[in-house]
Structure formats: C-alpha cells, structure tokens
Amino acid sequence: MFVLAVGIFHAQDADGDNLSYSLVSGSGDGNNSMFTLESNGTLKTASSFDYESYTSLSIRVSVSDGTNPGVENNF
C-alpha cells in the first residue's frame, strides 16, 4: 500500500492563533477511515482506493484554535 498526500487544508484565524485540523464524525464522514489528517492540515491516504468501488469519497474535517469552538464541514 502506498501512502499518498492528497492535499492540504488551510484556514486563517482572526487572532493569528495556530490551528489544528482533524477528521471528525458527523454528516459526510462516510470515508474518514480511508484517510489520515495531520494536525497541520495534510490529508493522506490510509488505504488503497479502487475506482470501481469508490467513484467519490466523503470526509468531514474540523479546524480549531484550541480555545474557541471549531468549524467543521464535509468534503
């Protein structure tokens, strides 16, 4: 199995605080287990993909500064 970087999430905090990213449960998290998300926002594969089985994948990501409530959405 090859682990590949898929992309990088990037957000900005109004106060300039450091942000942390994570995969979270909720609407749109159907394929979270097929990925890993480093706290710096780097999304990587956690398994091999088969296009015939998965023509689209969905993950749910949260970003937070650790102090205030985070923001999350599905991708």
Side-chain angles (χ1 to χ4, degrees):
M1 178 186 75
F2 294 98
V3 174
L4 301 172
V6 176
I8 298 174
F9 285 92
H10 180 76
Q12 293 180 332
D13 183 77
D15 302 323
D17 296 332
N18 288 330
L19 298 173
S20 181
Y21 301 82
S22 59
L23 294 170
V24 294
S25 298
S27 176
D29 71 350
N31 302 110
N32 278 10
S33 65
M34 298 176 73
F35 296 90
T36 61
L37 182 58
E38 297 176 357
S39 61
N40 68 0
T42 302
L43 182 68
K44 295 183 178 180
T45 60
S47 62
S48 299
F49 298 162
D50 177 6
Y51 179 75
E52 293 174 359
S53 298
Y54 301 99
T55 56
S56 66
L57 301 171
S58 178
I59 60 172
R60 187 165 189 85
V61 175
S62 174
V63 60
S64 174
D65 65 5
T67 304
N68 299 306
V71 175
E72 54 185 68
N73 209 333
N74 57 308
F75 298 90

